[in-house]
Amino acid sequence: MQHEVKLLLQQQELSFAKRGIGWGLLAGFCWGLDGTLMGMALAMVPFNTGASLFAAPLVAAALHDGFAALWLFIKNVADGRWRDYLRTLRTKQAKFILLASLLGGPIGMSCNLLGIYFAGASYTAAITAAYPAIGALLGAIFLKEKISRRVGTGILVAIVGSFVVGYVPPEGDQFPHFYLGIGLACIAAIGWALEGVLSTYGMDLVDSDIAIGIRQAASFLLYLFIVLPLVGSLAFEVLFASLSTPAFWLIACIGLIGGTSFLSWYRAMNMTGVSRAMGLNVTYAFWSVFFGWLLNGLQLTSNLIIGVVIIFIGTVITIGNPRELANLRSK
């Protein structure tokens, strides 16, 4: 009887691990599409007016996180869980989730979109894909997560592939502030790594769907009341000008995609741990190249193709055997 119970628990853990892997892969797919579409939105009126180097991308980032928060709230209300927002905000874990929202939203997301604006979506994705290595290291230090040699190797391989994708600068003068964008993408990587560690710690006693809902809502409010006022009146001019443009509605749709990515990422971190979830999510660099080719006519150079293959290999190594994770969780 005891053996049967143990076997049943192992089967449940295996199913849990497999679902976590699925959520991690979905997060990468959606984030790659999200970044490509946001690059297209930033090329539309009023974000392409050139009035300010920083105002337009930051306004777009605020709208993106605002719509993502709205879609996540609608989802949680439909599940009958809107009261969980208030309950969670009264807990100690909420402080970590709110801090994660600052690092991942106004810092991480802003620098990511500024990177896309100054260096392009594919190159920014290649640089920000370094965040799993930072997150895995921080997770091992602060969350005491054990990183197997295989998982660590898979993450590093995927990151190498991401850098292969973007190591060749774009030709021409399309991105005159290219290296500024690369620097901002590096800051985004650090912000997202810290977010992953803090949010995973906060989700010890908080459901991941509620955690990401609070994260996105807090991020939008930080943009609206702190970030945009610091930029100045021009930011609000761009914001109000965007309300009557197709770009506004495009970002509303992108917010749904981004919200799905965030939701999937938080679920994956809760189910599989920081390092493995980040290793799966890093596939967004691959999807960014694919959607750039499909939607924007991105030229498929040899380094792009080689990098994509390396990312795929790294992802397979990272996923490994789900039974390994299930056995670790059951001990």
Side-chain angles (χ1 to χ4, degrees):
M1 181 66 180
Q2 191 175 18
H3 175 71
E4 292 178 355
V5 171
K6 184 178 180 180
L7 183 61
L8 179 61
L9 289 174
Q10 287 179 343
Q11 290 175 344
Q12 290 176 341
E13 292 290 351
L14 178 59
S15 176
F16 191 76
K18 287 181 176 179
R19 292 201 308 272
I21 289 172
W23 285 118
L25 292 172
L26 178 61
F29 173 86
C30 290
W31 195 245
L33 178 59
D34 181 289
T36 302
L37 293 177
M38 284 302 296
M40 295 170 63
L42 287 169
M44 300 169 64
V45 176
F47 303 111
N48 63 348
T49 58
S52 170
L53 286 177
F54 298 98
L58 290 176
V59 169
L63 289 173
H64 176 278
D65 279 12
F67 278 114
L70 175 62
W71 294 122
L72 289 166
F73 181 72
I74 291 173
K75 185 264 179 193
N76 285 324
V77 168
D79 291 341
R81 305 180 59 193
W82 66 270
R83 293 183 180 86
D84 290 346
Y85 278 79
L86 299 177
R87 295 193 190 101
T88 301
L89 286 172
R90 298 191 186 102
T91 66
K92 177 183 177 181
Q93 282 70 27
K95 297 178 182 178
F96 293 96
I97 296 172
L98 291 174
L99 181 56
S101 71
L102 172 63
L103 294 167
I107 295 178
M109 185 62 182
S110 293
C111 289
N112 176 61
L113 275 190
L114 286 166
I116 292 174
Y117 190 68
F118 293 133
S122 296
Y123 293 92
T124 300
I127 297 300
T128 55
Y131 86 90
I134 304 171
L137 177 62
L138 294 174
I141 295 173
F142 296 107
L143 301 181
K144 309 303 180 183
E145 287 192 351
K146 294 182 179 180
I147 305 173
S148 69
R149 183 176 297 179
R150 179 185 49 72
V151 172
T153 300
I155 293 172
L156 290 176
V157 169
I159 292 171
V160 168
S162 300
F163 276 105
V164 170
V165 167
Y167 86 96
V168 179
E171 297 180 356
D173 57 354
Q174 182 181 1
F175 299 108
H177 304 284
F178 176 75
Y179 290 105
L180 173 60
I182 295 300
L184 290 165
C186 292
I187 297 175
I190 297 172
W192 286 344
L194 289 169
E195 177 194 5
V197 173
L198 289 171
S199 59
T200 300
Y201 182 81
M203 283 188 291
D204 278 347
L205 299 174
V206 177
D207 183 87
S208 58
D209 291 15
I210 301 301
I212 188 56
I214 292 175
R215 184 270 197 209
Q216 287 301 106
S219 177
F220 173 66
L221 293 175
L222 286 168
Y223 273 118
L224 193 62
F225 295 109
I226 297 179
V227 176
L228 296 188
L230 286 175
V231 176
S233 60
L234 181 59
F236 288 97
E237 291 177 11
V238 175
L239 175 63
F240 291 126
S242 71
L243 300 181
S244 59
T245 65
F248 178 83
W249 297 108
L250 175 58
I251 294 176
C253 296
I254 298 172
L256 178 59
I257 298 170
T260 302
S261 179
F262 286 126
L263 180 71
S264 302
W265 183 37
Y266 270 51
R267 284 184 176 181
M269 287 192 293
N270 198 29
M271 290 178 167
T272 69
V274 172
S275 58
R276 186 184 294 261
M278 288 184 174
L280 297 170
N281 188 38
V282 78
T283 54
Y284 69 79
F286 160 78
W287 291 114
S288 177
V289 172
F290 172 75
F291 287 118
W293 166 77
L294 183 66
L295 302 176
N296 282 339
L298 179 68
Q299 185 178 358
L300 294 180
T301 60
S302 59
N303 65 296
L304 290 179
I305 297 173
I306 294 172
V308 163
V309 172
I310 295 175
I311 291 171
F312 176 77
I313 294 172
T315 302
V316 172
I317 296 173
T318 301
I319 293 173
N321 185 357
R323 290 184 184 276
E324 175 187 302
L325 180 62
N327 292 335
L328 287 174
R329 295 178 65 92
S330 62
K331 289 181 179 180

